[in-house]
Amino acid sequence: MSDFLKVSRDGDVVIATIDNPPVNALSFHVREPLMQALVALRDDASVAAIVIACAGRTFVAGADITEFGKPMQQPELRAIVATLETIAKPTVAAIHGTALGGGLELALGCHFRVADAGAKLGLPEVKLGLLPGGGGTVRLPRLVGAVKALRMIVSGTPVGATEAHAAGLVDAVFEGDLTTHAVNFAREIARKGGPFRSVRDRNEGLKETDLAAFDAEAADLARKARGLEAPIACAQSVRNAVTLPFDAALAAERALFVKLVGSDQSRAQRHLFFAEREAAKLAGKDTKRRIARVGVIGAGTMGGGIAMAFANGDYPVTLLETSHEALQRGLATIDRNYSVSVTRGSLSEDAKRQRLDQFKGSTDYADLADCDLIVEAVFEDMAVKKEVFGKLDAVAKPGAILATNTSYLDINEIAASTSRPQDVLGLHFFSPANVMKLLEIVRADKTALDALATVVDLARRIGKVAVVVGVCHGFVGNRMLAARGSESEALLLEGATPSQIDQVFTDFGWPMGPFQMGDLAGLDIGWRNRKARGLSAVIADTLCEQGRFGQKTGRGFYLYENGSRTPATDPEVEVLIRDKAAEKGIAPRAISAEEIIERTLYPLINEGAKILEEGIAARASDIDVVWVNGYGFPVGKGGPLFWAGLEGPGKIIERLEYWHQRTGKDVFKPAPLLKRMAETGSWEAGG
Ligand code: T1G
């Protein structure tokens, strides 16, 4: 037999155990021996039943994603599932860890599925820009119903074993030694005798499908797809399972899969899958420090969210504020945020209690002495930061990691204000910190490797996507954001409107455009930052001088009537823009969507290239992970640097040079690495 498949017997029950670490992906070297084994066991009269199980920490977590985009070696998963369905003796999938994608499809090829109580089952292919290509969209609805299957497949979110059992997806849930339970289950079934129906022959889940309700739900999900093809294809394929004969639906699924697997969107989302995992890899990985308790300084919007992120990750948190009132205000906000989650049903009352029990409030720095990591989230002012780090240096225990949540200040300067710069780094969370996945981990010049490795690992434990970046103004995300926004004012003065520009961004796939985003975040943040740096933006500054800070004051670039979050165009703003343009002698002209992309996203990419050249980011894919997880860059485009490859670096350079010529602005001066990427097709410096 093969190293990747072990076949053993327990009396007349045979167990085929897949062993392909780390996640038992259904690579060719697994598929081939599995097919051979199934054929042999089918025809072996001494075998009464077959159990398919996996070694290691999980059942099959899907097809091997690294094989996509290459000629597929036979046998494919579909052929293995078809062979499974020719087996008359009972076949049982024993599921522990995660049965995902092709893994669940393999299990759906079996007559029965039993699961460990902690198992998760799902078809997450949509997150890779795909749909289940091994029959999942046709078999799953037969067990759980069309609408449940639609929700599972379009969301890609796995369900727990208990929910799967209740839905009819698994036949039994066990605690303890799963393989033994599965063997006994199989033997009992075999003893009772067949015939045993394959899922293809079962359609209890399809009976009484309310197609109108199905279509309404599918239409709603389609509206949320924001230009992504996979969710639409998933819905169509599940619908086919209801309306078409089995084999016709299977063939239709195949055709949709082949179309998607070759698409730019799926290539982009597969790129991001591996990019997120690469980003967490540190060169010269070192030991980690133990983190048992976390301290957070500042209970404002950021501090409160950061404290919740750690409490949600099961870490006890000491929350420090300058006064009792401020502390109580912060704790009350945290309590309110959890209550909102309970009301929405995304958190139980018990879980809320457990999380709140993690908090210890204080106004005394001495209470931070037992913390292993302390995150400062106070006012963005260097003098204030240095004062806080001075106090921290005095009370924090040796080896404690001292982190700042600054979003642009010089962390080397902050570190130098302590006697332990090796323990200082940046943990740049994004607002709301308990929700946003991205964590920019800023490595200062003297940051120790073990401190870095510790927080990279910690980020994963609190459900964050970590990217390690170097020190520069605005790090990776905000520095590139400044480049993307550098022409916003000029575009408005020359004739574009906030809603026109925002429309170009939402058409591109962003959740919202820069002006709507500015209004949401608060225009006063940028205003204070510009004033601190002696910079100006004539339109945004004037809006702020008029108290138009955005949603929080009911008006910014847009109007938000009666507390609504829906932006309405404000004629006053359009008049203000025209007046400012007239003052500068700028005559308005028609501005195309292409021009808006060229003057916003091309400088964004160019700045990314400069950041790579300077080594502020280790990989181009790290920059993609920052922008997709922190700034809403559309996943279907893979991130700015991946998208540059799709858009065409030659075209980007040609247009950058055109705008550099016209404006003389540095943001348009093509970076040498971008030019090299145009020649070599690779962002690797040596590429
Ligand atoms: N193929 C290849 N490599 C994979 C893989 C896969 N399916 N899943 C994980 N890896 C690698 C990963 O890159 C990493 O490598 C290592 O395994 C550990 O992963 C026909 C079309 C299972 C929940 O989408 O969600 O089936 O970085 O760090 O945090 O219909 O991995 O160490 O070199 O993520 O414990 C559908 C993908 C495929 C699930 C475990 N399946 N995997 O999380 O470990 S498409 C998925 C996951 C498909 C069929 C279709 C997670 C996990 P390295 P990890 P983890």
Side-chain angles (χ1 to χ4, degrees):
M1 229 350 103
S2 110
D3 296 345
F4 304 102
L5 185 81
K6 312 255 174 333
V7 176
S8 56
R9 284 188 86 111
D10 180 328
D12 56 1
V13 177
V14 168
I15 305 109
T17 305
I18 295 168
D19 189 1
N20 183 28
V23 295
N24 290 312
L26 272 175
S27 317
F28 167 66
H29 54 251
V30 172
R31 296 196 307 271
E32 193 180 40
L34 179 60
M35 177 67 109
Q36 290 161 355
L38 290 174
V39 171
L41 297 172
R42 176 189 63 197
D43 306 337
D44 181 338
S46 74
V47 176
I50 302 168
V51 171
I52 297 180
C54 286
R57 63 187 164 117
T58 181
F59 191 75
V60 174
D64 186 335
I65 306 168
T66 62
E67 291 182 351
F68 293 148
K70 302 170 193 152
M72 191 55 81
Q73 292 174 281
Q74 301 307 321
E76 287 187 44
L77 170 60
R78 296 174 300 142
I80 293 174
V81 174
T83 300
L84 263 170
E85 292 187 327
T86 64
I87 299 178
K89 61 197 80 175
T91 52
V92 179
I95 298 168
H96 75 292
T98 54
L100 300 175
L104 182 54
E105 291 172 308
L106 178 70
L108 287 167
C110 297
H111 297 113
F112 303 95
R113 286 145 296 282
V114 300
D116 172 78
K120 287 200 173 311
L121 301 85
L123 295 171
E125 285 85 343
V126 71
K127 296 181 180 170
L128 298 167
L130 298 168
L131 87 170
T137 67
V138 187
R139 291 188 176 84
L140 183 65
R142 280 171 157 69
L143 294 183
V144 305
V147 172
K148 175 100 182 151
L150 176 74
R151 291 177 185 153
M152 284 180 67
I153 294 172
V154 174
S155 70
T157 309
V159 297
T162 313
E163 183 179 345
H165 189 221
L169 177 52
V170 301
D171 302 282
V173 176
F174 296 113
E175 304 264 3
D177 178 350
L178 180 67
T179 306
T180 304
H181 284 301
V183 167
N184 296 340
F185 179 94
R187 181 167 291 122
E188 184 53 25
I189 293 282
R191 192 185 59 71
K192 284 193 191 131
F196 307 104
R197 288 189 304 153
S198 295
V199 176
R200 68 171 292 145
D201 303 324
R202 294 171 56 180
N203 57 11
E204 52 266 34
L206 293 180
K207 286 205 185 85
E208 289 108 43
T209 299
D210 175 346
L211 259 183
F214 179 94
D215 289 343
E217 176 126 5
D220 183 46
L221 291 166
R223 264 190 302 281
K224 295 184 186 126
R226 281 215 308 270
L228 291 174
E229 297 152 7
I232 316 292
C234 287
Q236 179 56 51
S237 199
V238 175
R239 192 178 200 287
N240 293 340
V242 179
T243 58
L244 299 177
F246 184 88
D247 290 315
L250 212 56
E253 178 197 88
R254 186 75 210 154
L256 287 166
F257 181 82
V258 170
K259 178 167 162 284
L260 289 177
V261 81
S263 70
D264 285 345
Q265 286 191 358
S266 181
R267 281 192 317 110
Q269 289 175 264
R270 294 186 326 246
H271 159 74
L272 289 169
F273 177 85
F274 292 112
E276 281 181 19
R277 284 150 183 82
E278 279 309 301
K281 292 178 183 159
L282 277 182
K285 214 166 178 179
D286 201 328
T287 53
K288 299 184 193 67
R289 302 184 192 182
R290 181 173 164 277
I291 304 289
R293 173 170 277 277
V294 175
V296 176
I297 304 176
T301 310
M302 284 311 294
I306 294 168
M308 288 176 74
F310 284 110
N312 298 352
D314 231 4
Y315 286 90
V317 178
T318 302
L319 185 57
L320 187 94
E321 254 297 353
T322 48
S323 71
H324 188 68
E325 297 65 42
L327 180 62
Q328 290 319 311
R329 234 186 353 263
L331 289 170
T333 305
I334 290 170
D335 190 304
R336 234 188 351 269
N337 288 343
Y338 281 131
S339 302
V340 170
S341 303
V342 170
T343 316
R344 285 205 192 118
S346 59
L347 191 70
S348 70
E349 196 56 60
D350 275 1
K352 173 189 168 190
R353 174 71 14 233
Q354 274 162 19
R355 291 179 187 189
L356 286 172
D357 289 347
Q358 297 279 28
F359 287 87
K360 185 173 86 177
S362 170
T363 58
D364 183 352
Y365 268 81
D367 286 337
L368 297 172
D370 62 351
C371 293
D372 307 290
L373 164 69
I374 302 159
V375 185
E376 157 278 314
V378 301
F379 193 62
E380 280 280 43
D381 175 86
M382 185 55 89
V384 175
K385 302 281 188 195
K386 286 183 173 176
E387 189 207 334
V388 168
F389 273 76
K391 289 183 183 160
L392 268 184
D393 202 12
V395 297
K397 64 181 176 184
I401 297 174
L402 310 181
T404 170
N405 178 56
T406 181
S407 48
Y408 58 84
L409 292 173
D410 183 341
I411 299 178
N412 288 321
E413 193 179 334
I414 294 173
S417 72
T418 74
S419 63
R420 49 176 107 185
Q422 74 283 2
D423 300 333
V424 176
L425 45 78
L427 286 184
H428 181 210
F429 287 81
F430 288 74
S431 183
N434 55 313
V435 177
M436 292 296 285
K437 285 187 61 86
L438 180 67
L439 182 57
E440 243 183 349
I441 296 178
V442 187
R443 174 186 201 154
D445 294 352
K446 296 208 172 100
T447 302
L449 194 52
D450 70 329
L452 211 54
T454 303
V455 291
V456 168
D457 181 62
L458 187 64
R460 192 181 173 62
R461 292 170 192 280
I462 63 171
K464 299 297 181 192
V465 174
V467 177
V468 176
V469 301
V471 173
C472 66
H473 190 88
F475 315 128
V476 168
N478 286 345
R479 174 173 161 183
M480 291 171 70
L481 185 67
R484 187 193 79 174
S486 60
E487 284 283 277
S488 300
E489 291 260 326
L491 283 162
L492 293 178
L493 293 167
E494 293 168 34
T497 64
S499 54
Q500 181 200 0
I501 294 173
D502 282 352
Q503 184 67 45
V504 168
F505 274 72
T506 49
D507 291 349
F508 186 87
W510 300 76
M512 63 177 69
F515 296 104
Q516 226 186 310
M517 176 57 87
D519 278 358
L520 175 69
L523 301 176
D524 51 326
I525 298 172
W527 190 35
R528 263 204 310 278
N529 185 351
R530 285 191 298 278
K531 282 200 279 186
R533 301 177 65 209
L535 302 174
S536 71
V538 62
I539 298 167
D541 292 351
T542 310
L543 291 175
C544 289
E545 281 145 19
Q546 296 173 352
R548 303 177 69 113
F549 295 159
Q551 282 194 17
K552 59 181 147 187
T553 57
R555 49 194 201 132
F557 279 99
Y558 297 96
L559 268 182
Y560 302 88
E561 261 122 8
N562 318 322
S564 135
R565 286 167 165 258
T566 312
T569 301
D570 187 341
E572 276 183 33
V573 172
E574 309 220 339
V575 169
L576 181 152
I577 295 170
R578 298 281 54 86
D579 290 352
K580 293 296 173 192
E583 279 169 26
K584 290 178 177 289
I586 301 171
R589 60 181 174 82
I591 294 186
S592 70
E594 289 70 33
E595 179 176 339
I596 290 169
I597 295 278
E598 288 175 6
R599 292 171 70 181
T600 56
L601 299 192
Y602 288 9
L604 174 83
I605 291 163
N606 199 33
E607 198 65 26
K610 293 175 188 169
I611 283 172
L612 267 181
E613 280 165 359
E614 295 163 23
I616 300 289
R619 306 166 191 98
S621 59
D622 287 1
I623 293 178
D624 291 333
V625 172
V626 164
W627 271 81
V628 164
N629 289 287
Y631 298 82
F633 196 98
V635 291
K637 297 212 166 46
L641 299 196
F642 183 88
W643 181 68
L646 297 177
E647 177 76 350
K651 172 187 171 192
I652 294 171
I653 290 166
E654 187 230 316
R655 297 309 295 165
L656 281 171
E657 281 166 345
Y658 169 82
W659 288 110
H660 186 235
Q661 199 75 25
R662 257 184 80 152
T663 66
K665 290 186 177 172
D666 264 358
V667 282
F668 291 120
K669 191 166 183 311
L673 182 59
L674 178 57
K675 291 186 174 169
R676 204 166 34 248
M677 192 280 190
E679 290 147 18
T680 65
S682 156
W683 284 109
E684 300 309 318

